[in-house]
Amino acid sequence: MKLFKSISLTALAVLVGSQLSFGQNNAGPAALEGAPASVFPALPYAYDALEPHIDARTMEIHYDRHHRAYYTNFIAAVKGTPLEGKTMTEIFASMSKHPDAVRNNGGGYYNHLFFWKVMGKNSSVMSPELSGAITKTFGSFDKFKEVFNNAAKTRFGSGWAWLYVTSDKTLAVGSTPNQDNPLMDLSPVKGTPVLALDVWEHAYYLKYQNKRADYVEAFWNVINWDEVNRRYKEAVK
Ligand SMILES: [Fe+2]
């Protein structure tokens, strides 16, 4: 029994260690914007890490069913086509030329990976650079929050709210339908994303039901500003 306990604890430590190292490994944009992963990427934290704001059951279904399905279907959609081996950025930049299966599943694969990374259970704060840019563009943090929340709340049906950097290196807020994102050539909201919020019902319905506004408000408690700061810095280089 003692031996079993010891082995179990060792296995647990290895598992926790690998989760931690994944979560702490703040890989550069290439990890996300590069070629699709050869295996479905791990969630960078435990299902219950964002409780009580995002519940464990929602995280489990969202990651292990919805996100996994987008990944699997995307890999199947590009397999054997000229898109196989291309980076996500390249595929998005020419999205208007590709079938809906690539658009919907490629967007779903990337957007969720992005979303997991810009959330976390930590006490990170906004960098002075990002904070300054937000004040410059929106007038204040509170005004920015209002504009972002409004984009999230008013997206009809399913989609995403984004904070992104435009081609002239300024910040903007917008929303996209379905699994579109600002990297896609066909998106009217175009730029380099730095923050994203999934407003599909599958992201919140179990806990919040029809109260999307409550979910949107709760999101502000789980933002990983370290990742958002890093993305902003990369985007304005
Ligand atoms: Fe989602």
Side-chain angles (χ1 to χ4, degrees):
M1 189 65 185
K2 255 187 177 172
L3 178 66
F4 175 74
K5 261 190 182 167
S6 160
I7 291 170
S8 299
L9 283 174
T10 307
L12 184 66
V14 168
L15 185 68
V16 170
S18 68
Q19 284 272 326
L20 280 177
S21 67
F22 181 90
Q24 288 167 355
N25 178 15
N26 212 357
L32 190 51
E33 279 79 19
S38 53
V39 292
F40 181 50
L43 190 68
Y45 33 72
Y47 291 138
D48 65 356
L50 308 181
E51 290 264 16
H53 309 291
I54 298 180
D55 61 290
R57 184 69 177 142
T58 296
M59 280 302 294
E60 180 178 358
I61 295 170
H62 200 173
Y63 165 75
D64 199 43
R65 299 197 200 162
H66 294 277
H67 190 199
R68 187 185 292 278
Y70 289 124
Y71 171 75
T72 305
N73 293 334
F74 174 60
I75 296 300
V78 297
K79 196 175 167 63
T81 76
L83 295 180
E84 198 171 3
K86 297 266 192 222
T87 66
M88 297 308 294
T89 308
E90 286 167 338
I91 294 171
F92 290 147
S94 56
M95 190 52 87
S96 54
K97 300 188 180 103
H98 310 309
D100 282 351
V102 174
R103 177 178 177 178
N104 294 333
N105 293 300
Y109 163 59
Y110 172 91
N111 294 353
H112 287 90
L113 269 187
F114 188 103
F115 186 44
W116 309 143
K117 281 173 182 278
V118 295
M119 294 191 294
K121 192 175 193 171
N122 60 32
S123 53
S124 60
V125 293
M126 207 183 285
S127 67
E129 292 78 16
L130 178 57
S131 177
I134 280 178
T135 304
K136 191 177 169 193
T137 301
F138 301 97
S140 67
F141 176 79
D142 286 347
K143 186 65 191 164
F144 154 63
K145 191 176 162 187
E146 187 187 322
V147 171
F148 187 92
N149 284 0
N150 204 38
K153 288 187 285 191
T154 58
R155 162 51 53 194
F156 183 74
S158 301
W160 293 76
W162 304 92
L163 174 67
Y164 60 99
V165 173
T166 62
S167 56
D168 64 0
K169 308 288 182 190
T170 57
L171 284 170
V173 161
S175 78
T176 53
N178 305 316
Q179 295 295 351
D180 287 357
N181 67 47
L183 294 169
M184 294 182 181
D185 65 341
L186 43 69
S187 174
V189 169
K190 228 186 272 17
T192 305
V194 295
L195 178 66
L197 175 58
D198 185 346
V199 293
W200 281 61
E201 281 189 346
H202 68 221
Y204 63 88
Y205 205 82
L206 283 182
K207 183 176 172 71
Y208 296 96
Q209 291 83 50
N210 61 321
K211 296 174 188 151
R212 186 192 285 186
D214 291 358
Y215 159 71
V216 169
E217 190 56 42
F219 171 64
W220 295 93
N221 295 299
V222 294
I223 295 177
N224 175 6
W225 288 109
D226 288 343
E227 176 68 5
V228 181
N229 295 337
R230 189 185 66 75
R231 289 198 157 268
Y232 174 70
K233 197 173 170 186
E234 286 281 327
V236 293
K237 255 186 190 170

